[in-house]
Amino acid sequence: MNHIIISIITFLIAFSFSYMGSLNGPFFWGYPTLIIVSIIGFLIHWLVFIPSFLLKTEKLYDITGTIAYLAMIIIICLSMEEFTIRSQIIITLVGIWALRLGIFLFARVLDVGEDKRFKDVKKSPSRFLMWFTISGLWVFLTTFNAFISILNNHKTISDAFFVFGLFIWLIGFLFEVIADEQKRNFRKKNINQNKFILTGLWSLSRHPNYFGEILIWVGISIMSIPTLSGWQFISFVSPVFVILLLTKVSGINLLEESADKKWGNDKKYQDYKNSTPILIPFLSFLLNKKTSN
């Protein structure tokens, strides 16, 4: 019963944010577009949950997020007669990110096999549904800020916020893509079985892919600043949510704990951990330089 209650609360959180963000926003089918978009995202997760539970498989979990992202983008595109260049660019950025990440995660699931996180979860319908519902919240809150900016359809792309935000997004996207590819190639080699990667971008940060992911949504939020008004500024919850999720909930915290269990007694790993920032590249160097001065 607790899992059902959490699922209901999770949906209500998304609905509340979508309602506040939709004030003064466009309508579609007679209802605020942003509310429709959020509901569509959850419906897709709930529909995919059904075969996933019946087949007792988690392989569709990550790709469901990508399907939801793309469906939400399509609904937004259908709701507007014409988009400004600014909105078109943000739609493209979100679409590229969603497709790239979805394909990467789906390929990784097929390659790795069973995701241990779901070993017990998928046996309980209410608990498994809760995970899919929370994923629906993750999908909506991540793109909440971007979707409001798109729907506001701001005309100019010459302001400093747009240019600087786009620059930050590009750095973040490159960091995430390159880091993921470096780790994928590292794991493909049999000689690296049960070893940790410390080359490439991974020599600058212990989690460069997450650093890139955070920059992506910080960049989008910077681009959105001139387009927001009133309650819409609540959409800055998007980058904050991504940061908290990746650092405190289901990202760095879990990976660091797992790495400590595997290699905590390995001198090489201890040296790597002590000399490499956990997230922000060059942070240790900058702090040490400041201290020495």
Side-chain angles (χ1 to χ4, degrees):
M1 187 63 183
N2 289 339
H3 299 139
I4 297 298
I5 293 174
I6 292 173
S7 293
I8 293 172
I9 292 173
T10 299
F11 174 74
L12 290 176
I13 290 172
F15 185 84
S16 298
F17 275 114
S18 65
Y19 174 77
M20 288 184 283
S22 66
L23 296 177
N24 300 320
F27 280 64
F28 186 50
W29 295 333
Y31 298 94
T33 304
L34 196 61
I35 291 179
I36 293 176
V37 163
S38 67
I39 292 174
I40 291 294
F42 279 98
L43 285 176
I44 290 172
H45 279 83
W46 292 334
L47 287 172
V48 177
F49 156 76
I50 297 172
S52 296
F53 175 69
L54 293 176
L55 298 173
K56 297 293 186 293
T57 179
E58 72 282 2
K59 293 193 185 320
L60 298 176
Y61 184 78
D62 287 324
I63 197 65
T64 302
T66 298
I67 295 170
Y69 283 124
L70 297 178
M72 293 158 76
I73 290 173
I74 290 172
I75 291 296
I76 286 177
C77 290
L78 292 174
S79 71
M80 305 284 285
E81 292 184 2
E82 185 178 355
F83 283 105
T84 62
I85 295 177
R86 191 188 197 103
S87 291
Q88 290 175 21
I89 291 174
I90 296 176
I91 287 173
T92 302
L93 297 181
V94 175
I96 290 172
W97 169 85
L99 275 173
R100 204 288 308 182
L101 185 62
I103 293 171
F104 172 79
L105 292 176
F106 188 60
R108 188 177 68 179
V109 167
L110 295 179
D111 185 47
V112 172
E114 183 182 28
D115 189 330
K116 294 179 181 178
R117 295 177 300 168
F118 294 91
K119 187 175 182 180
D120 296 321
V121 170
K122 59 189 176 185
K123 297 176 184 177
S124 166
S126 61
R127 194 177 174 192
F128 205 17
L129 176 63
M130 180 187 72
W131 275 66
F132 271 91
T133 304
I134 291 174
S135 177
L137 178 65
W138 168 62
V139 165
F140 175 71
L141 284 185
T142 300
T143 51
F144 180 38
N145 173 263
F147 287 161
I148 289 180
S149 184
I150 292 167
L151 289 169
N152 284 345
N153 223 17
H154 199 69
K155 290 182 179 180
T156 181
I157 59 170
S158 59
D159 57 279
F161 289 108
F162 180 82
V163 175
F164 182 61
L166 180 59
F167 176 70
I168 295 296
W169 187 95
L170 288 171
I171 293 176
F173 186 73
L174 287 173
F175 247 88
E176 184 174 52
V177 172
I178 294 172
D180 282 341
E181 188 63 17
Q182 287 176 341
K183 194 167 189 178
R184 188 183 70 83
N185 289 329
F186 178 83
R187 285 178 168 175
K188 278 197 312 182
K189 299 176 181 178
N190 293 329
I191 194 174
N192 293 326
Q193 289 293 323
N194 298 318
K195 292 184 179 181
F196 58 91
I197 181 172
L198 44 64
T199 56
L201 292 180
W202 299 84
S203 67
L204 306 177
S205 164
R206 302 207 298 275
H207 303 278
N209 52 340
Y210 287 161
F211 174 69
E213 178 78 359
I214 289 169
L215 284 188
I216 283 172
W217 298 108
V218 168
I220 291 287
S221 66
I222 292 171
M223 294 167 69
S224 77
I225 291 174
T227 73
L228 305 178
S229 64
W231 276 101
Q232 292 180 343
F233 281 99
I234 200 172
S235 67
F236 282 129
V237 71
S238 289
V240 174
F241 172 76
V242 170
I243 292 169
L244 291 176
L245 183 72
L246 295 181
T247 59
K248 303 296 184 182
V249 181
S250 64
I252 290 175
N253 57 319
L254 299 181
L255 291 174
E256 286 290 304
E257 183 180 340
S258 176
D260 286 341
K261 288 179 180 178
K262 286 182 181 179
W263 306 296
N265 297 321
D266 187 327
K267 177 69 166 55
K268 190 175 182 181
Y269 175 72
Q270 287 297 332
D271 291 341
Y272 170 67
K273 187 173 180 179
N274 292 330
S275 62
T276 308
I278 190 170
L279 180 65
I280 304 174
F282 307 113
L283 184 61
S284 297
F285 172 77
L286 293 174
L287 291 176
N288 290 336
K289 186 175 181 180
K290 186 176 181 180
T291 302
S292 63
N293 289 336

